[in-house]
Amino acid sequence: MQMQMELRRPTEADKETIVQMVAEFRTANSADDGFFGEDPFVYEDWLATIRAAEQGLKLPQGFVPYAQFVAFDGNGRALGFLNLRLRLNDALLERGGHIGYSIRPSERRKGYAKEALRQGLREAAGRNITAVLISCSTDNEASRKTILANGGVYEDTRCGGERYWINLD
């Protein structure tokens, strides 16, 4: 069976499913890499923040312009986050890289992370990013497998994180 998953920018119409997903991450006390949301989470404020960030506006100290994506299943249910940093600063070059992603706890181990990263790499290529840096914690086997399945080449380990490059040329 073909997995149906779409990676796209969130809209006003996605509020309910994304709010539910954020609540699931927080209830599970789970890492939500690829998501930057205030607590309490106010959806409309988040949308305004991510739209400005993509234009390089109103960025917090240390942030670079980024494009925020959400993965949705074929029924429009939010599955996870993917954040594409449009350039790297010194901190992201050490740890973090171009892409951060996470899948909601109830949907893990189903291949969604692999597909989200595949589609995220396509977005990066569309923005003329030719080599993508992705990092994961040394103890995150699932993320390591996801990165390797998408062509990641291990470079080194820094600050507790393994660094991988994916060439998009």
Side-chain angles (χ1 to χ4, degrees), residues 23-85:
E24 182 178 326
F25 272 107
R26 292 186 173 164
T27 299
N29 198 25
S30 176
D32 53 8
D33 297 320
F35 169 69
F36 304 103
E38 300 291 321
D39 201 7
F41 179 60
V42 179
Y43 188 76
E44 294 77 9
D45 293 348
W46 177 69
L47 274 184
T49 296
I50 64 176
R51 288 175 178 160
E54 191 162 352
Q55 304 301 316
L57 305 172
K58 301 179 184 175
L59 294 167
Q61 182 73 27
F63 275 60
V64 299
Y66 63 86
Q68 179 69 61
F69 296 93
V70 175
F72 295 92
D73 69 13
N75 298 316
R77 181 171 184 250
L79 299 169
F81 294 104
L82 185 136
N83 188 276
L84 172 61
R85 274 79 93 179

Side-chain angles (χ1 to χ4, degrees), residues 17 30 54 61 72 76 89 95 99-100 102 108 130 163 167:
T17 187
S30 176
E54 191 162 352
Q61 182 73 27
F72 295 92
N89 58 21
R95 179 84 194 260
I99 294 177
S102 57
R108 292 181 183 157
T130 58
R163 298 168 69 249
N167 188 343

